[in-house]
């Protein structure tokens, strides 16, 4: 796969996930780790990409590699992350050991942000009940 060619087509022709507003260019793709539309964080233009998604309160690590590109159904490998933050970080370190450090850092930041979001949601639910 030629990632640069794909990125050039997406960026300059048309991407249905791109959202241009006054403050910048954002991406609506659910697999995007940062939400910003740029070359390094585009899941479509990177043959090796990872992100974290939330499904009904359970976090999953999604990994995409070039070896699975010929099977669209199995393109994203999914690993369930435990609710414990430290154990989830260990699993991320284990599965993304030989991946680019910048991408691993983005994934860890996303896990931290989503964990803090989960904690705030629990606090707000308890506050409303009392």
């Amino acid at each position: 796969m030629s990632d640069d060619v794909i990125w050039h087509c997406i960026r300059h022709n048309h991407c249905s996930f791109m959202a241009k507003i006054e403050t910048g260019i954002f991406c609506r793709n659910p697999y995007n780790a940062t939400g910003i539309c740029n070359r390094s964080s585009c899941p479509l233009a990177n043959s090796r990409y990872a992100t974290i998604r939330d499904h009904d309160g359970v976090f999953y690590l999604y990994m995409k590699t070039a070896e699975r590109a010929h099977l669209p159904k199995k393109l994203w490998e999914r690993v369930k992350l435990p609710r414990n933050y430290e154990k989830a970080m260990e699993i991320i370190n284990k599965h993304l050991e030989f991946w680019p450090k910048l991408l691993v850092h983005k994934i860890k930041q996303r896990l931290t942000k989503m964990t803090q979001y989960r904690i705030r949601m629990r606090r707000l639910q308890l506050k409303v009940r009392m």
Side-chain angles (χ1 to χ4, degrees), residues 29-44:
N29 193 318
Y31 291 102
N32 192 318
T34 60
I36 299 170
C37 183
N38 60 21
R39 171 70 176 88
S40 64
S41 63
C42 181
L44 301 174

Side-chain angles (χ1 to χ4, degrees), residues 2-3 10 13 27 32 46 61 66 83 92 101-102 108:
S2 180
D3 294 340
I10 289 172
N13 293 338
C27 182
N32 192 318
N46 287 305
L61 172 65
R83 292 187 73 83
I92 290 172
K101 298 300 177 196
L102 181 65
K108 289 180 180 179

Side-chain angles (χ1 to χ4, degrees), residues 108-119:
K108 289 180 180 179
Q109 279 183 328
R110 185 168 170 89
L111 176 68
T112 303
K113 181 177 74 171
M114 292 174 78
T115 303
Q116 291 171 350
Y117 172 77
R118 182 190 284 170
I119 291 168

Side-chain angles (χ1 to χ4, degrees), residues 76-128:
W76 292 92
E77 180 184 354
R78 183 168 104 161
V79 177
K80 184 177 178 180
L81 296 175
R83 292 187 73 83
N84 187 342
Y85 178 77
E86 288 82 20
K87 290 181 182 178
M89 283 292 204
E90 289 174 11
I91 289 176
I92 290 172
N93 284 333
K94 186 179 93 177
H95 284 280
L96 304 178
E97 184 176 0
F98 301 109
W99 288 55
K101 298 300 177 196
L102 181 65
L103 183 62
V104 175
H105 180 66
K106 281 194 241 181
I107 301 306
K108 289 180 180 179
Q109 279 183 328
R110 185 168 170 89
L111 176 68
T112 303
K113 181 177 74 171
M114 292 174 78
T115 303
Q116 291 171 350
Y117 172 77
R118 182 190 284 170
I119 291 168
R120 280 196 311 271
M121 290 299 291
R122 277 196 223 126
R123 284 184 187 159
L124 287 173
Q125 286 177 350
L126 289 174
K127 188 182 271 188
V128 170

